[in-house]
Amino acid sequence: MRARELGRKSVVVGDRVSLVGDTSGAEGALARIVRIAERRSVLRRTADDDETTAEGRLERVVVANADQLVIVSALADPPPRTGFIDRCLVAAYDADVEPLLCLTKADLAGPEEVLGYYTELELPYVLNRPDSDLDALRALLSGKVSVLVGHSGVGKSTLVNRLVPDALRAVGVVSAIGRGRHTSTSAVALRLPPAPGIDTDPGWIIDTPGIRSFGLAHVSADSLLHGFPDLVEGTVDCPPNCPHTADEADCGLDAWVAAGKADPRRLASYRRLLASRAGEGDSRDSDQRGPGEGDRRGPDE
């Protein structure tokens, strides 16, 4: 229960709270949350990018106090959507949370195109196959609070069940048209089991429902660039208050890309987010499929 004096202040997964009452955890025990500690990080998203609409202004706190955002993406079935990954990176950097790219279904396709798209970022990543032992992933999760996000059907719940065998997270299938079925319906924090013979903190994972979009209306237009660190240095030669849009003739980003210092697809993705943030076009446009496919359909199409 939440104490009345907290008013409308929400409590989210990952919050550190103070309790009064019976905190034994026994069946039938009842305690009240009387204080929510200051959050050291807050990962947020909005339903879409357009802050002029009620849906776009509806800000959701995904999780509090996370150290790491694990972006789970399948390499096939469904294909990877770099636009969605870009959005997650923006949200992670804005929340001061470290990103980790977890590529699943590596038995169905290679990671070269996706990793090539992010080569300038030195983005940490891990590859997983159905027969992977997950040791590399466990090492990256150790001692941290990690929140897992990803589209439905990418194998996130399967991964959680392998990491925490008692989790019993529902697992669905991917339809013939490449859509995943939403199987997780609520965020839940799970303590990772300790590794045999190792006394260090194994960490926590927070599983979240599969999502179709990651709106960024809560992120300012200036802060969007934080998700594209490979482009930041290219803005040095921009004129004051440069909007970095394609119609800005003096924007330094075009010359930066033309000189081979950043991938032109990254600049295109950044500008799509800028346009979407300004209410121009469908906010899902940047959720294109693979880096080489140019599919501009929404993630649920």
Side-chain angles (χ1 to χ4, degrees):
M1 295 179 61
R2 186 177 59 186
R4 181 176 300 175
E5 54 265 31
L6 289 178
R8 301 176 67 89
K9 188 174 183 180
S10 63
V11 183
V12 301
V13 174
D15 268 329
R16 307 290 295 186
V17 301
S18 296
L19 305 174
V20 297
D22 186 349
T23 59
S24 66
E27 185 176 353
L30 183 62
R32 285 189 304 151
I33 297 172
V34 295
R35 187 175 67 87
I36 303 171
E38 183 178 354
R39 295 164 175 167
R40 52 187 173 81
S41 70
V42 182
L43 181 68
R44 299 180 173 92
R45 75 178 182 95
T46 43
D48 62 41
D49 293 335
D50 189 358
E51 63 179 358
T52 65
T53 67
E55 186 179 36
R57 290 192 301 270
L58 183 58
E59 183 180 302
R60 295 178 174 89
V61 176
V62 180
V63 67
N65 300 318
D67 303 304
Q68 183 169 242
L69 176 63
V70 182
I71 308 163
V72 184
S73 174
L75 289 168
D77 192 30
R81 295 178 172 90
T82 52
F84 176 78
I85 297 172
D86 287 346
R87 288 169 170 272
C88 291
L89 289 174
V90 169
Y93 292 131
D94 183 68
D96 198 22
V97 173
E98 292 295 324
L100 169 64
L101 182 58
C102 179
L103 298 171
T104 62
K105 305 185 183 182
D107 56 316
L108 301 181
E112 293 78 17
E113 279 209 64
V114 175
L115 297 181
Y117 179 75
Y118 292 107
T119 187
E120 299 297 327
L121 270 67
E122 299 183 357
L123 179 64
Y125 72 91
V126 62
L127 294 176
N128 285 294
R129 300 173 175 82
D131 58 350
S132 297
D133 58 19
L134 300 185
D135 287 349
L137 178 57
R138 287 191 178 93
L140 293 168
L141 299 175
S142 179
K144 299 177 181 177
V145 176
S146 303
V147 54
L148 280 64
V149 298
H151 284 309
S152 294
V154 298
K156 183 165 58 66
S157 294
T158 299
L159 199 62
V160 170
N161 286 334
R162 291 189 62 199
L163 289 167
V164 188
D166 295 334
L168 301 178
R169 297 297 272 174
V171 177
V173 297
V174 177
S175 71
I177 57 173
R179 282 204 298 234
R181 180 184 302 167
H182 288 273
T183 51
S184 302
T185 58
S186 60
V188 60
L190 301 163
R191 180 78 166 175
L192 288 166
I198 299 178
D199 296 331
T200 56
D201 176 15
W204 289 77
I205 56 172
I206 298 175
D207 186 23
T208 61
I211 55 178
R212 288 178 175 167
S213 64
F214 209 113
L216 298 172
H218 63 286
V219 179
S220 70
D222 290 340
S223 294
L224 282 179
L225 195 60
H226 295 169
F228 297 82
D230 46 329
L231 300 179
V232 171
E233 193 174 341
T235 64
V236 171
D237 295 326
C238 287
N241 302 315
C242 178
H244 307 311
T245 54
D247 57 2
E248 175 54 57
D250 296 326
C251 179
L253 289 175
D254 296 284
W256 182 257
V257 168
K261 296 180 179 179
D263 192 316
R265 297 171 298 180
R266 292 279 292 160
L267 177 57
S269 180
Y270 171 57
R271 283 177 168 165
R272 275 194 295 272
L273 284 183
L274 281 175
S276 181
R277 182 67 176 69
E280 302 169 8
D282 191 331
S283 66
R284 301 180 306 174
D285 280 355
S286 63
D287 289 330
Q288 74 270 22
R289 292 178 184 248
E293 296 181 46
D295 190 333
R296 296 291 300 278
R297 292 177 293 176
D300 54 344
E301 296 176 347

